[in-house]
Amino acid sequence: MTVSGSRRRPLALRLSLTAAIAVTVAGSSVAFASPAVSAPLPVRAAAAPAFTAGLCEGTEYAPSEQMLDISGVRLDHYNDGNIVPMYGTTDRGTSAAVDAPVCGVRDVDGIAKSEWMYCTDFDLDPCAGVDENGLPVDKHNDEMGATVPSSGNPDLSADDLAVISWLLQNPAKLDGSVSGNGSEDARSSRQTLVWCVSDYDNPLMADFKSLCDRNLGADERARIVEIMNVTQTLDLARKTPATGSLKSGETAVFTLNTNMYRKPISVQSSAGTELTVCGENSKATLSGNQLTVDGRGDAPTAVDLCLTAANSGDYSVTASVIPDSVENLHWNTAGAECQIFASFDTVRPASMNASASVGYDAQPTTTPATTTPATTTPSTTTPATPVVPIVPIVPIVPIVPIVPIVPVVPVVPGVPAPSQPVATPSTPAPSTPKPATGPRPVAIDGGAAEQNSGRNVAVAVTGLGLVGMAAAGAVALRRKRS
């Protein structure tokens, strides 16, 4: 592949790769065997009309209209089921010499899919440029044929294919930078890691073996091969409670078993709940809804996930992941002098899914019982209303003012009111009449009148009796009178 001196790569590898690849530009070519077997072309229902293709993920500049215009010969290639190269990962290459990886577009079930294609031959031409007329050309501006599907790169072993397939489907680190398709730097890291597999023994890569050994050494490659060769499993089951339901606020535990190591697994729970990794799960990390489990080999690892629901109802946990597979790669090339590209197949296999659920009962009726007793308030208030008016019956007490009856003690005119000690007359009156001290009173009828105080005493006693009755039972007396 060709790189002009003005271009740079995000990593230190860029500068040396520019010098190394310049040898190829000068005319030094490497013998290249054609791909072993071409993959069958997809059957298409109808030819698509000319269109402007969409950008590949994470493109950081604006490609020219010619690069995105799929018409003429390029449209014919597209309608034949081939991928059409459009532009490189950076805008620092010429139209004929593009930076790898390369963005291409192809038909997938009637939809135009744009995807990044990664080089697997360090020193060959990408053959992915376009001239001023929008025609596909190589680095010499020679017109190129179609970039057709391939069964793979014949220079690579089965283990090499497995590792490259894994690298294009999963994030991996290159000296701290995470590889992927989302940015120029991430794509540069991914492309470098692919070259560490496809061109490790290429003399042009000699100065970078230490970089490859550090990030993708023999042990790491063996681990990836194990992952790609195992029968991948994904299982989810309830652990606590194994049967029955929980009360609101209690914690349910689910166990996920998988041997899909270092691959993000999407885990989600029902609305209103949040999942956490619980128990002794030092090999598992959960970031957002992405669960990653560390390990290797065929044996699955168990990871406990906890969920707590505050309300009653049925709650579920689901896990989903697209299994890694060498078949997930789409290979293509434009000829013997051209690069063989590997891209992640946008026709992804069906994802593996697992789910489990648990029921939560409603809260105990204590809460409703506390609120319902509001009915007791009416029962207390209702009787209280009639009772309160009864208290005003006390106004009858004002009958105590009957005490005025005390002065009712009849006083005989002309006879002085008895002093307080009058109570002593309770003893019998003297039998001997009091001698007269003055002239004998004259009766009204002219006769003599008897002087006797007995009548007055009786009246006094009667008056005292009335006073006692008034003090002790004036109310009864009053009622009797009424």
Side-chain angles (χ1 to χ4, degrees):
M1 97 184 230
T2 306
V3 178
S4 67
S6 63
R7 294 207 308 280
R8 65 171 181 79
R9 295 178 183 275
L11 302 174
L13 186 58
R14 277 187 182 277
L15 297 176
S16 300
L17 290 182
T18 300
I21 297 174
V23 177
T24 305
V25 177
S28 161
S29 62
V30 178
F32 174 74
S34 298
V37 181
S38 293
L41 297 178
V43 177
R44 308 196 69 258
F51 66 96
T52 299
L55 301 179
C56 281
E57 175 188 359
T59 300
E60 296 177 342
Y61 71 98
S64 68
E65 292 181 7
Q66 283 184 336
M67 293 176 177
L68 300 177
D69 178 49
I70 308 301
S71 61
V73 174
R74 299 175 88 202
L75 180 61
D76 292 339
H77 294 166
Y78 175 86
N79 281 325
D80 287 339
N82 301 312
I83 194 164
V84 178
M86 297 188 294
Y87 59 88
T89 187
T90 75
D91 61 348
R92 286 177 281 276
T94 64
S95 59
V98 297
D99 242 351
V102 174
C103 177
V105 61
R106 67 190 180 98
D107 179 276
V108 178
D109 296 331
I111 299 174
K113 293 287 188 179
S114 298
E115 57 195 24
W116 291 105
M117 307 185 297
Y118 287 84
C119 293
T120 60
D121 296 286
F122 183 79
D123 49 5
L124 293 181
D125 184 3
C127 301
V130 292
D131 64 10
E132 64 277 4
N133 299 315
L135 297 174
V137 293
D138 63 10
K139 64 177 180 283
H140 303 295
N141 276 312
D142 295 331
E143 189 173 333
M144 297 296 303
T147 301
V148 299
S150 167
S151 60
N153 190 328
D155 290 343
L156 302 179
S157 68
D159 285 356
D160 292 338
L161 295 178
V163 175
I164 290 175
S165 178
W166 187 89
L167 289 172
L168 266 60
Q169 296 174 73
N170 298 280
K173 289 186 178 179
L174 183 73
D175 282 355
S177 175
V178 180
S179 67
N181 289 335
S183 69
E184 182 184 329
D185 285 350
R187 291 190 295 274
S188 179
S189 295
R190 177 167 278 180
Q191 179 62 81
T192 301
L193 289 168
V194 170
W195 276 328
C196 283
V197 178
S198 66
D199 290 88
Y200 182 79
D201 292 324
N202 190 316
L204 297 176
M205 284 284 289
D207 294 339
F208 309 105
K209 284 192 173 183
S210 59
L211 177 70
C212 296
D213 292 340
R214 214 165 40 242
N215 294 278
L216 198 61
D219 186 64
E220 176 64 4
R221 290 179 62 173
R223 185 191 72 83
I224 293 173
V225 170
E226 285 181 6
I227 290 174
M228 299 300 289
N229 289 335
V230 301
T231 301
Q232 298 170 84
T233 62
L234 184 71
D235 178 66
L236 188 63
R238 258 167 58 170
K239 180 179 180 180
T240 306
T243 59
S245 57
L246 293 172
K247 294 179 181 177
S248 299
E250 293 182 339
T251 299
V253 183
F254 298 83
T255 299
L256 179 76
N257 284 282
T258 186
N259 60 1
M260 303 181 77
Y261 298 122
R262 296 195 190 179
K263 182 175 183 65
I265 300 171
S266 176
V267 292
Q268 294 183 334
S269 59
S270 299
T273 61
E274 183 179 351
L275 280 178
T276 58
V277 173
C278 51
E280 298 179 2
N281 292 294
S282 58
K283 292 186 176 182
T285 55
L286 182 61
S287 177
N289 68 334
Q290 297 295 304
L291 176 72
T292 306
V293 184
D294 194 11
R296 62 187 302 172
D298 193 59
T301 295
V303 177
D304 285 347
L305 300 171
C306 286
L307 169 152
T308 303
N311 301 313
S312 61
D314 292 329
Y315 295 86
S316 63
V317 175
T318 60
S320 178
V321 64
I322 296 176
D324 293 313
S325 171
V326 176
E327 287 72 30
N328 288 356
L329 286 188
H330 181 255
W331 299 84
N332 51 76
T333 184
E337 299 298 323
C338 301
Q339 187 70 229
I340 291 183
F341 291 105
S343 60
F344 184 74
D345 198 337
T346 49
V347 185
R348 301 187 179 190
S351 62
M352 298 176 66
N353 301 293
S355 64
S357 61
V358 65
Y360 274 82
D361 295 333
Q363 284 280 7
T365 51
T366 8
T367 307
T370 309
T371 8
T372 312
T375 50
T376 49
T377 310
S379 68
T380 307
T381 9
T382 310
T385 326
V387 171
V388 174
I390 294 172
V391 178
I393 273 266
V394 176
I396 298 173
V397 175
I399 297 174
V400 173
I402 211 84
V403 174
I405 296 174
V406 175
V408 170
V409 177
V411 179
V412 178
V415 181
S419 62
Q420 200 65 18
V422 173
T424 45
S426 59
T427 54
S431 56
T432 310
K434 185 176 180 181
T437 55
R440 185 180 183 88
V442 180
I444 294 176
D445 57 0
E450 285 289 325
Q451 187 177 14
N452 196 331
S453 61
R455 184 167 178 265
N456 290 338
V457 172
V459 171
V461 172
T462 305
L464 288 176
L466 288 172
V467 172
M469 287 176 64
V475 173
L477 179 61
R478 180 77 172 190
R479 285 179 179 171
K480 184 176 180 181
R481 288 182 179 182
S482 61

